[in-house]
Amino acid sequence: MLEISALTSHYGRIQALKGIEVTVAEGELVALVGANGAGKTTLLRCISGVQPVSGGRIRFDGKDITRMAPELRVGLGIAQVPEGRQVFGPLSVEDNLRLGAYRRHSKDVDADLQRMFKMFPVLDTMRHHPAGTMSGGQQQMLAMARALMSRPRLLLLDEPSMGLAPLLVAEIFRIVEALKKEGTTIFLVEQNAYAALGIADRGYVLETGQVVLADSGQRLLSDEKVKEAYLGL
Amino acid sequence: MFAEFLQYMLSGITVGSIYALAGLGFAIIYNASHVINFAQGEFIMIGGMASSVLVAAGLPLWAAVILAVLLTMLVGLALEIFAIAPARDADVVTIIIITIGASIFLRGVAQLVWGKSPRSLPAFSGEEPINLFGAALARQSLWVIGVSLLLILLLGWFFNRTLFGKAMLATSYNRLAAQLMGIGVNKVLTLSFGMSAVLGAVGGIIVTPITFTSYEAGIMLGLKGFSAAVLGGLGNGAGAVAGGLLVGIAEALGAGYISSAYKDAFAFVIILFVLFFMPNGLFGKRSTERV
């Protein structure tokens, strides 16, 4: 479904991505792990089109989207839950969710809204409150629900567990697994390599802008190098 | 005594309404792009000049008004598409300087095309003032206040009730997230210039029967509108309206009770004082952000 080949990207003169090769097949849950500054977020931003690509190709459903405007990619079914949640703080929870469905002009947005309230009951109780008044965990739920409102076929998750209490982290990963069961294709970026690789079909390890390892989630978990560098074992 | 006070208040509210519209124009563009558009005053001038030229050419008032508003909107859109958009990745300060350049350019073109002499429009519904507790209320003032109020309510509805209005707000709160939601932020920016131009044009048209207009009328009106926006807290719509009325009333009272020679100075002195004690304006939020 998603094929990335020889992708490079720069911040000014600094090269953040140095020829990335990544594929994600329909229905898969693929994890991307790596240290701070490895280029994980940059890669996701390239896929969403909010970070300029300096070389290489991104294909979605076989179609070249490397230079496509970000808003059109959302229309194709690529949604991202950005790092740090990025909810629209002064807007109400409901407005945040409705903006998630911005590219859809159908009547069933209301039905999806109810579906989200069922999946994340806390959003229902906070429905009319400004999103900025919610706790970090609640905002993470909102950011995920907001992305799901676009009915994505490919969901990009950037550090969904960052800065959350362990109980909430478990809750987030439970939801990610549930989404996968529903058939959503997921590309998950995490510093929490242990949890991410634990639920992933396949995983990639990114180091200073390059993919250094690619294997099934389970095999990466037991890989000596991965253990040493990312799992602290 | 009271009649005199009422008279000053009425003229303050009238001119304050125009400042409020100009202030809203500043706020809309500031919200969409964090740019302060110093060509806002020229939108006001173009609206006033174009409508008076068209009426002088024999067009009925309603047709002149529509054409003048459309022309100003096109100027606003063109300004964004041809001057602002190509510099989209530049510093905000660079873009602000572009708008200053654009304002000088527009003033020059207006002078070339429409000449240097001041122009006016006939009052929309007669010159005969209405007597209100001893004060004379110009009929045109009712037009100014009524139309401004209508536009302000319309904007409030647009930003609070429509998905596109909320998308514009979302873009101002978090541009990256807005892009990730599929909001075309470039379209939002272009549209914000179109909307601000329309606001300016309408303000310029309705006030022209009272104040006259000329190719350089936009300078002072733009500065007052900017003051209104800053006074209310940049980017705050309700604040811009309150700021506009405050500047207008202060000006009218100062001119009436102290000296009309310093009319323009009063507004700016107030702003200096307010900003000295409340740097974010009367209704501005403190600009600390949680990271």
Side-chain angles (χ1 to χ4, degrees), chain B residues 6 16 37 47 49 64 71 79 94 99 105 118 124 141 148 154 190 202 209 215 229 234 236 240 262 272 274-275:
Chain B
L6 189 64
N37 169 35
M49 289 294 274
L71 171 75
L79 170 63
T94 311
T99 69
F105 171 76
F124 294 0
S141 287
S148 303
L154 208 65
T190 310
V202 173
Y215 75 97
L234 255 181
N236 181 327
Y262 297 112
L272 281 180
V274 169
L275 292 185

PDB file of all heavy atoms in Angstrom, chain B residues 6 16 37 47 49 64 71 79 94 99 105 118 124 141 148 154 190 202 209 215 229 234 236 240 262 272 274-275:
ATOM      1  N   LEU B   6     -23.459  63.724  24.174  1.00  0.00           N
ATOM      2  CA  LEU B   6     -24.087  62.745  23.292  1.00  0.00           C
ATOM      3  C   LEU B   6     -23.594  62.939  21.858  1.00  0.00           C
ATOM      4  O   LEU B   6     -23.320  61.973  21.140  1.00  0.00           O
ATOM      5  CB  LEU B   6     -25.607  62.900  23.361  1.00  0.00           C
ATOM      6  CG  LEU B   6     -26.408  61.809  22.665  1.00  0.00           C
ATOM      7  CD1 LEU B   6     -26.173  60.474  23.344  1.00  0.00           C
ATOM      8  CD2 LEU B   6     -27.899  62.153  22.687  1.00  0.00           C
ATOM      9  N   GLY B  16     -15.648  55.074  15.136  1.00  0.00           N
ATOM     10  CA  GLY B  16     -15.126  53.871  15.785  1.00  0.00           C
ATOM     11  C   GLY B  16     -15.561  52.603  15.063  1.00  0.00           C
ATOM     12  O   GLY B  16     -14.823  51.617  15.023  1.00  0.00           O
ATOM     13  N   ASN B  37      -1.009  43.236   8.013  1.00  0.00           N
ATOM     14  CA  ASN B  37      -1.135  43.704   6.637  1.00  0.00           C
ATOM     15  C   ASN B  37      -1.278  45.218   6.610  1.00  0.00           C
ATOM     16  O   ASN B  37      -2.366  45.747   6.820  1.00  0.00           O
ATOM     17  CB  ASN B  37      -2.345  43.038   5.990  1.00  0.00           C
ATOM     18  CG  ASN B  37      -2.679  43.683   4.666  1.00  0.00           C
ATOM     19  OD1 ASN B  37      -1.791  44.112   3.944  1.00  0.00           O
ATOM     20  ND2 ASN B  37      -3.962  43.763   4.371  1.00  0.00           N
ATOM     21  N   GLY B  47     -12.106  51.130  -1.634  1.00  0.00           N
ATOM     22  CA  GLY B  47     -13.557  51.015  -1.547  1.00  0.00           C
ATOM     23  C   GLY B  47     -14.224  52.379  -1.687  1.00  0.00           C
ATOM     24  O   GLY B  47     -15.153  52.557  -2.484  1.00  0.00           O
ATOM     25  N   MET B  49     -12.890  55.337  -2.801  1.00  0.00           N
ATOM     26  CA  MET B  49     -12.585  56.019  -4.062  1.00  0.00           C
ATOM     27  C   MET B  49     -13.360  55.396  -5.219  1.00  0.00           C
ATOM     28  O   MET B  49     -13.988  56.097  -6.014  1.00  0.00           O
ATOM     29  CB  MET B  49     -11.078  55.947  -4.355  1.00  0.00           C
ATOM     30  CG  MET B  49     -10.227  56.802  -3.467  1.00  0.00           C
ATOM     31  SD  MET B  49     -10.514  58.568  -3.701  1.00  0.00           S
ATOM     32  CE  MET B  49      -9.407  58.905  -5.057  1.00  0.00           C
ATOM     33  N   ALA B  64     -22.629  50.829  -7.839  1.00  0.00           N
ATOM     34  CA  ALA B  64     -21.292  51.328  -7.537  1.00  0.00           C
ATOM     35  C   ALA B  64     -20.729  50.626  -6.310  1.00  0.00           C
ATOM     36  O   ALA B  64     -19.551  50.259  -6.266  1.00  0.00           O
ATOM     37  CB  ALA B  64     -21.337  52.838  -7.316  1.00  0.00           C
ATOM     38  N   LEU B  71     -14.127  45.021  -6.701  1.00  0.00           N
ATOM     39  CA  LEU B  71     -12.796  45.472  -7.127  1.00  0.00           C
ATOM     40  C   LEU B  71     -11.801  45.352  -5.980  1.00  0.00           C
ATOM     41  O   LEU B  71     -10.692  44.827  -6.139  1.00  0.00           O
ATOM     42  CB  LEU B  71     -12.866  46.931  -7.612  1.00  0.00           C
ATOM     43  CG  LEU B  71     -11.492  47.563  -7.880  1.00  0.00           C
ATOM     44  CD1 LEU B  71     -10.913  47.041  -9.181  1.00  0.00           C
ATOM     45  CD2 LEU B  71     -11.563  49.084  -7.905  1.00  0.00           C
ATOM     46  N   LEU B  79      -3.170  40.741  -4.260  1.00  0.00           N
ATOM     47  CA  LEU B  79      -2.047  41.060  -3.375  1.00  0.00           C
ATOM     48  C   LEU B  79      -1.496  39.780  -2.759  1.00  0.00           C
ATOM     49  O   LEU B  79      -0.281  39.561  -2.728  1.00  0.00           O
ATOM     50  CB  LEU B  79      -2.523  42.030  -2.286  1.00  0.00           C
ATOM     51  CG  LEU B  79      -1.549  42.291  -1.130  1.00  0.00           C
ATOM     52  CD1 LEU B  79      -0.293  42.953  -1.643  1.00  0.00           C
ATOM     53  CD2 LEU B  79      -2.202  43.166  -0.060  1.00  0.00           C
ATOM     54  N   THR B  94       9.582  39.965   6.794  1.00  0.00           N
ATOM     55  CA  THR B  94       9.737  40.205   5.356  1.00  0.00           C
ATOM     56  C   THR B  94       8.370  40.423   4.715  1.00  0.00           C
ATOM     57  O   THR B  94       8.181  41.336   3.901  1.00  0.00           O
ATOM     58  CB  THR B  94      10.419  38.993   4.694  1.00  0.00           C
ATOM     59  OG1 THR B  94      11.564  38.658   5.455  1.00  0.00           O
ATOM     60  CG2 THR B  94      10.803  39.295   3.270  1.00  0.00           C
ATOM     61  N   THR B  99       3.880  44.038   2.580  1.00  0.00           N
ATOM     62  CA  THR B  99       2.573  44.700   2.631  1.00  0.00           C
ATOM     63  C   THR B  99       2.735  46.220   2.694  1.00  0.00           C
ATOM     64  O   THR B  99       1.905  46.951   2.156  1.00  0.00           O
ATOM     65  CB  THR B  99       1.725  44.234   3.837  1.00  0.00           C
ATOM     66  OG1 THR B  99       2.320  44.713   5.046  1.00  0.00           O
ATOM     67  CG2 THR B  99       1.594  42.731   3.889  1.00  0.00           C
ATOM     68  N   PHE B 105       2.426  51.191  -3.213  1.00  0.00           N
ATOM     69  CA  PHE B 105       2.108  50.948  -4.620  1.00  0.00           C
ATOM     70  C   PHE B 105       0.632  51.259  -4.905  1.00  0.00           C
ATOM     71  O   PHE B 105       0.300  51.978  -5.854  1.00  0.00           O
ATOM     72  CB  PHE B 105       2.439  49.496  -4.954  1.00  0.00           C
ATOM     73  CG  PHE B 105       1.973  49.056  -6.310  1.00  0.00           C
ATOM     74  CD1 PHE B 105       2.652  49.451  -7.454  1.00  0.00           C
ATOM     75  CD2 PHE B 105       0.856  48.244  -6.447  1.00  0.00           C
ATOM     76  CE1 PHE B 105       2.224  49.050  -8.706  1.00  0.00           C
ATOM     77  CE2 PHE B 105       0.410  47.836  -7.694  1.00  0.00           C
ATOM     78  CZ  PHE B 105       1.089  48.238  -8.834  1.00  0.00           C
ATOM     79  N   PRO B 118      -9.797  65.285  -3.341  1.00  0.00           N
ATOM     80  CA  PRO B 118     -10.667  64.471  -2.496  1.00  0.00           C
ATOM     81  C   PRO B 118     -12.010  64.242  -3.163  1.00  0.00           C
ATOM     82  O   PRO B 118     -12.458  65.050  -3.980  1.00  0.00           O
ATOM     83  CB  PRO B 118     -10.809  65.313  -1.222  1.00  0.00           C
ATOM     84  CG  PRO B 118     -10.288  66.648  -1.540  1.00  0.00           C
ATOM     85  CD  PRO B 118      -9.479  66.582  -2.778  1.00  0.00           C
ATOM     86  N   PHE B 124     -26.494  58.127   1.890  1.00  0.00           N
ATOM     87  CA  PHE B 124     -27.340  57.083   1.312  1.00  0.00           C
ATOM     88  C   PHE B 124     -28.822  57.409   1.418  1.00  0.00           C
ATOM     89  O   PHE B 124     -29.605  57.059   0.556  1.00  0.00           O
ATOM     90  CB  PHE B 124     -27.069  55.727   2.000  1.00  0.00           C
ATOM     91  CG  PHE B 124     -25.689  55.195   1.736  1.00  0.00           C
ATOM     92  CD1 PHE B 124     -24.782  55.880   0.955  1.00  0.00           C
ATOM     93  CD2 PHE B 124     -25.294  53.977   2.282  1.00  0.00           C
ATOM     94  CE1 PHE B 124     -23.506  55.403   0.709  1.00  0.00           C
ATOM     95  CE2 PHE B 124     -24.025  53.477   2.043  1.00  0.00           C
ATOM     96  CZ  PHE B 124     -23.131  54.191   1.269  1.00  0.00           C
ATOM     97  N   SER B 141     -24.713  58.104   9.747  1.00  0.00           N
ATOM     98  CA  SER B 141     -24.156  57.426  10.923  1.00  0.00           C
ATOM     99  C   SER B 141     -24.909  56.137  11.208  1.00  0.00           C
ATOM    100  O   SER B 141     -24.325  55.127  11.588  1.00  0.00           O
ATOM    101  CB  SER B 141     -24.231  58.332  12.152  1.00  0.00           C
ATOM    102  OG  SER B 141     -23.276  59.354  12.032  1.00  0.00           O
ATOM    103  N   SER B 148     -21.906  48.058   9.967  1.00  0.00           N
ATOM    104  CA  SER B 148     -20.777  47.496  10.721  1.00  0.00           C
ATOM    105  C   SER B 148     -21.253  46.382  11.637  1.00  0.00           C
ATOM    106  O   SER B 148     -20.663  45.299  11.687  1.00  0.00           O
ATOM    107  CB  SER B 148     -20.097  48.578  11.559  1.00  0.00           C
ATOM    108  OG  SER B 148     -19.673  49.631  10.734  1.00  0.00           O
ATOM    109  N   LEU B 154     -22.105  38.778  11.180  1.00  0.00           N
ATOM    110  CA  LEU B 154     -21.894  37.806  10.104  1.00  0.00           C
ATOM    111  C   LEU B 154     -20.561  37.077  10.296  1.00  0.00           C
ATOM    112  O   LEU B 154     -20.463  35.857  10.146  1.00  0.00           O
ATOM    113  CB  LEU B 154     -21.898  38.548   8.767  1.00  0.00           C
ATOM    114  CG  LEU B 154     -22.353  37.771   7.543  1.00  0.00           C
ATOM    115  CD1 LEU B 154     -23.816  37.413   7.693  1.00  0.00           C
ATOM    116  CD2 LEU B 154     -22.135  38.593   6.292  1.00  0.00           C
ATOM    117  N   THR B 190      -5.153  32.929   1.304  1.00  0.00           N
ATOM    118  CA  THR B 190      -5.666  33.748   0.205  1.00  0.00           C
ATOM    119  C   THR B 190      -7.028  34.319   0.573  1.00  0.00           C
ATOM    120  O   THR B 190      -7.299  35.504   0.390  1.00  0.00           O
ATOM    121  CB  THR B 190      -5.787  32.898  -1.073  1.00  0.00           C
ATOM    122  OG1 THR B 190      -4.560  32.209  -1.276  1.00  0.00           O
ATOM    123  CG2 THR B 190      -6.088  33.766  -2.278  1.00  0.00           C
ATOM    124  N   VAL B 202     -16.080  47.890   2.449  1.00  0.00           N
ATOM    125  CA  VAL B 202     -17.400  48.282   2.944  1.00  0.00           C
ATOM    126  C   VAL B 202     -17.245  49.458   3.916  1.00  0.00           C
ATOM    127  O   VAL B 202     -17.981  50.453   3.842  1.00  0.00           O
ATOM    128  CB  VAL B 202     -18.109  47.090   3.617  1.00  0.00           C
ATOM    129  CG1 VAL B 202     -19.390  47.549   4.284  1.00  0.00           C
ATOM    130  CG2 VAL B 202     -18.403  46.007   2.601  1.00  0.00           C
ATOM    131  N   PRO B 209     -19.437  59.307   2.697  1.00  0.00           N
ATOM    132  CA  PRO B 209     -20.334  60.471   2.738  1.00  0.00           C
ATOM    133  C   PRO B 209     -20.074  61.374   3.943  1.00  0.00           C
ATOM    134  O   PRO B 209     -20.408  62.552   3.909  1.00  0.00           O
ATOM    135  CB  PRO B 209     -21.731  59.843   2.827  1.00  0.00           C
ATOM    136  CG  PRO B 209     -21.562  58.478   2.258  1.00  0.00           C
ATOM    137  CD  PRO B 209     -20.181  58.051   2.631  1.00  0.00           C
ATOM    138  N   TYR B 215      -6.826  59.683  -2.255  1.00  0.00           N
ATOM    139  CA  TYR B 215      -5.912  58.559  -2.489  1.00  0.00           C
ATOM    140  C   TYR B 215      -5.074  58.227  -1.258  1.00  0.00           C
ATOM    141  O   TYR B 215      -4.588  57.124  -1.111  1.00  0.00           O
ATOM    142  CB  TYR B 215      -5.013  58.848  -3.700  1.00  0.00           C
ATOM    143  CG  TYR B 215      -3.905  59.843  -3.417  1.00  0.00           C
ATOM    144  CD1 TYR B 215      -2.621  59.408  -3.102  1.00  0.00           C
ATOM    145  CD2 TYR B 215      -4.144  61.219  -3.451  1.00  0.00           C
ATOM    146  CE1 TYR B 215      -1.612  60.318  -2.818  1.00  0.00           C
ATOM    147  CE2 TYR B 215      -3.154  62.122  -3.183  1.00  0.00           C
ATOM    148  CZ  TYR B 215      -1.880  61.667  -2.868  1.00  0.00           C
ATOM    149  OH  TYR B 215      -0.895  62.560  -2.585  1.00  0.00           O
ATOM    150  N   ALA B 229      -6.831  47.091  16.568  1.00  0.00           N
ATOM    151  CA  ALA B 229      -6.522  45.662  16.668  1.00  0.00           C
ATOM    152  C   ALA B 229      -5.523  45.404  17.796  1.00  0.00           C
ATOM    153  O   ALA B 229      -5.666  44.455  18.569  1.00  0.00           O
ATOM    154  CB  ALA B 229      -5.974  45.155  15.340  1.00  0.00           C
ATOM    155  N   LEU B 234      -4.083  41.633  19.548  1.00  0.00           N
ATOM    156  CA  LEU B 234      -3.976  41.190  18.149  1.00  0.00           C
ATOM    157  C   LEU B 234      -4.572  39.808  17.958  1.00  0.00           C
ATOM    158  O   LEU B 234      -4.305  38.897  18.721  1.00  0.00           O
ATOM    159  CB  LEU B 234      -2.503  41.156  17.743  1.00  0.00           C
ATOM    160  CG  LEU B 234      -2.020  42.285  16.837  1.00  0.00           C
ATOM    161  CD1 LEU B 234      -0.563  42.086  16.503  1.00  0.00           C
ATOM    162  CD2 LEU B 234      -2.867  42.387  15.591  1.00  0.00           C
ATOM    163  N   ASN B 236      -7.680  38.998  18.186  1.00  0.00           N
ATOM    164  CA  ASN B 236      -8.927  38.800  18.907  1.00  0.00           C
ATOM    165  C   ASN B 236     -10.018  39.637  18.231  1.00  0.00           C
ATOM    166  O   ASN B 236      -9.987  40.865  18.270  1.00  0.00           O
ATOM    167  CB  ASN B 236      -8.714  39.226  20.363  1.00  0.00           C
ATOM    168  CG  ASN B 236      -9.955  39.023  21.202  1.00  0.00           C
ATOM    169  OD1 ASN B 236     -11.068  39.160  20.723  1.00  0.00           O
ATOM    170  ND2 ASN B 236      -9.739  38.684  22.454  1.00  0.00           N
ATOM    171  N   ALA B 240     -10.842  43.579  18.701  1.00  0.00           N
ATOM    172  CA  ALA B 240     -10.648  44.581  17.658  1.00  0.00           C
ATOM    173  C   ALA B 240     -11.860  45.507  17.580  1.00  0.00           C
ATOM    174  O   ALA B 240     -11.710  46.724  17.402  1.00  0.00           O
ATOM    175  CB  ALA B 240     -10.408  43.903  16.312  1.00  0.00           C
ATOM    176  N   TYR B 262      -5.399  68.051  18.167  1.00  0.00           N
ATOM    177  CA  TYR B 262      -4.683  66.840  18.578  1.00  0.00           C
ATOM    178  C   TYR B 262      -5.528  65.580  18.415  1.00  0.00           C
ATOM    179  O   TYR B 262      -5.257  64.563  19.034  1.00  0.00           O
ATOM    180  CB  TYR B 262      -4.245  66.971  20.044  1.00  0.00           C
ATOM    181  CG  TYR B 262      -3.258  68.105  20.246  1.00  0.00           C
ATOM    182  CD1 TYR B 262      -3.601  69.238  20.966  1.00  0.00           C
ATOM    183  CD2 TYR B 262      -1.987  68.028  19.679  1.00  0.00           C
ATOM    184  CE1 TYR B 262      -2.709  70.270  21.124  1.00  0.00           C
ATOM    185  CE2 TYR B 262      -1.098  69.066  19.842  1.00  0.00           C
ATOM    186  CZ  TYR B 262      -1.451  70.185  20.565  1.00  0.00           C
ATOM    187  OH  TYR B 262      -0.565  71.193  20.718  1.00  0.00           O
ATOM    188  N   LEU B 272      -0.504  53.854  23.680  1.00  0.00           N
ATOM    189  CA  LEU B 272       0.786  53.757  24.365  1.00  0.00           C
ATOM    190  C   LEU B 272       0.574  53.393  25.829  1.00  0.00           C
ATOM    191  O   LEU B 272       1.235  52.509  26.367  1.00  0.00           O
ATOM    192  CB  LEU B 272       1.539  55.084  24.263  1.00  0.00           C
ATOM    193  CG  LEU B 272       2.231  55.323  22.919  1.00  0.00           C
ATOM    194  CD1 LEU B 272       2.955  56.662  22.932  1.00  0.00           C
ATOM    195  CD2 LEU B 272       3.228  54.201  22.636  1.00  0.00           C
ATOM    196  N   VAL B 274      -2.098  51.969  27.330  1.00  0.00           N
ATOM    197  CA  VAL B 274      -2.641  50.615  27.524  1.00  0.00           C
ATOM    198  C   VAL B 274      -1.548  49.574  27.317  1.00  0.00           C
ATOM    199  O   VAL B 274      -1.385  48.646  28.116  1.00  0.00           O
ATOM    200  CB  VAL B 274      -3.825  50.358  26.570  1.00  0.00           C
ATOM    201  CG1 VAL B 274      -4.207  48.885  26.594  1.00  0.00           C
ATOM    202  CG2 VAL B 274      -5.007  51.216  26.955  1.00  0.00           C
ATOM    203  N   LEU B 275      -0.774  49.728  26.250  1.00  0.00           N
ATOM    204  CA  LEU B 275       0.241  48.714  25.964  1.00  0.00           C
ATOM    205  C   LEU B 275       1.355  48.725  26.997  1.00  0.00           C
ATOM    206  O   LEU B 275       2.001  47.713  27.243  1.00  0.00           O
ATOM    207  CB  LEU B 275       0.814  48.910  24.555  1.00  0.00           C
ATOM    208  CG  LEU B 275      -0.189  48.625  23.445  1.00  0.00           C
ATOM    209  CD1 LEU B 275       0.491  48.729  22.092  1.00  0.00           C
ATOM    210  CD2 LEU B 275      -0.829  47.263  23.607  1.00  0.00           C
TER     211      LEU B 275
END
